[in-house]
Amino acid sequence: DAGITQSPRHKVTETGTPVTLRCHQTENHRYMYWYRQDPGHGLRLIHYSYGVKDTDKGEVSDGYSVSRSKTEDFLLTLESATSSQTSVYFCAISESTNSPLHFGNGTRLTVT
Amino acid sequence: GQQVMQIPQYQHVQEGEDFTTYCNSSTTLSNIQWYKQRPGGHPVFLIQLVKSGEVKKQKRLTFQFGEAKKNSSLHITATQTTDVGTYFCAGRYGGSARQLTFGSGTQLTVLP
């Protein structure tokens, strides 16, 4: 498996609190992505990055922000968590936009 | 946004039976990828199809890309318990990273 580490693996938080999820890669891949997975919806793109400080929105970006200050790290922040953001979050990396995605092990987030 | 429809959502088969999952897009795809996710795991890349009418095989798995590049299928011959998991297709519509759309997945259960 590609060297991708997500932290934390599990998180329970209360509505209205900020939450940051971290993705760390050791592959030096240019592209990094945050997806959320919900039953019946497959994987939906939240945000992605195509380089340091270069990010763009995906399909379901409302309520989320991201930052990439180093090639290896991509952070996803929920400024004020809501129950609808309860989900499993996957980070992925790829060498180019046409390359396969390699996924991390996921973070299970529960917002109560 | 673009949508990739995947059917069936669930499939239960007896070990040794065949299994097929289908993906359909209303617009032409530049390529399509297939991923497998074991229960509790993360999606793992299986294959990418690029050419019209392309057929690729991986042991008991056969992947097809339609002539019009709007549909694709994954067929597993003589399923085994190790095939259990959710199979996702992901269709690419263009060169941007956001233009990869996942189907909702087919959850395969193999009964021993």
Side-chain angles (χ1 to χ4, degrees):
Chain A
D1 280 347
I4 309 167
T5 305
Q6 289 187 235
S7 59
R9 291 296 313 278
H10 302 272
K11 175 80 174 177
V12 179
T13 193
E14 293 185 348
T15 298
T17 59
V19 177
T20 295
L21 308 183
R22 181 178 182 246
C23 179
H24 178 79
Q25 62 143 332
T26 58
E27 306 296 319
N28 201 35
H29 283 355
R30 178 182 175 188
Y31 289 83
M32 298 186 75
Y33 312 79
W34 278 106
Y35 284 88
R36 61 177 289 174
Q37 184 174 37
D38 304 289
H41 288 279
L43 292 144
R44 292 181 292 175
L45 182 64
I46 305 171
H47 282 279
Y48 68 97
S49 169
Y50 46 97
V52 173
K53 299 192 189 307
D54 292 323
T55 66
D56 204 351
K57 295 179 180 180
E59 177 188 356
V60 290
S61 60
D62 287 349
Y64 302 95
S65 63
V66 290
S67 67
R68 190 169 179 199
S69 57
K70 297 185 291 184
T71 299
E72 56 266 34
D73 290 325
F74 194 32
L75 304 180
L76 176 70
T77 297
L78 291 65
E79 300 291 345
S80 178
T82 67
S83 58
S84 64
Q85 294 175 312
T86 292
S87 186
V88 179
Y89 291 86
F90 285 101
C91 173
I93 64 174
S94 70
E95 291 185 83
S96 71
T97 55
N98 268 322
S99 302
L101 300 180
H102 299 283
F103 287 85
N105 288 328
T107 295
R108 183 173 294 278
L109 176 67
T110 303
V111 183
T112 61
Chain B
Q2 308 288 359
Q3 281 195 326
V4 174
M5 305 302 295
Q6 187 171 358
I7 59 168
Q9 189 174 358
Y10 303 96
Q11 184 79 59
H12 292 70
V13 300
Q14 208 70 37
E15 189 173 16
E17 292 182 337
D18 293 355
F19 159 78
T20 306
T21 174
Y22 302 88
C23 284
N24 290 287
S25 169
S26 58
T27 56
T28 302
L29 301 168
S30 58
N31 61 56
I32 193 160
Q33 300 171 357
W34 285 91
Y35 294 81
K36 176 184 178 181
Q37 184 176 22
R38 295 183 186 276
H42 59 276
V44 175
F45 173 75
L46 294 176
I47 208 159
Q48 177 169 280
L49 306 172
V50 179
K51 299 176 183 176
S52 167
E54 189 169 14
V55 178
K56 287 188 176 181
K57 294 190 176 184
Q58 290 180 350
K59 297 184 181 178
R60 294 177 294 103
L61 278 61
T62 301
F63 304 83
Q64 295 190 354
F65 201 10
E67 293 290 341
K69 299 183 73 173
K70 290 184 177 181
N71 57 76
S72 182
S73 65
L74 158 60
H75 179 83
I76 302 179
T77 304
T79 54
Q80 300 175 356
T81 54
T82 53
D83 295 325
V84 164
T86 301
Y87 293 84
F88 293 97
C89 62
R92 177 165 293 288
Y93 293 91
S96 165
R98 74 164 71 90
Q99 290 173 300
L100 182 71
T101 300
F102 279 82
S104 55
T106 296
Q107 186 175 320
L108 173 64
T109 300
V110 180
L111 305 170

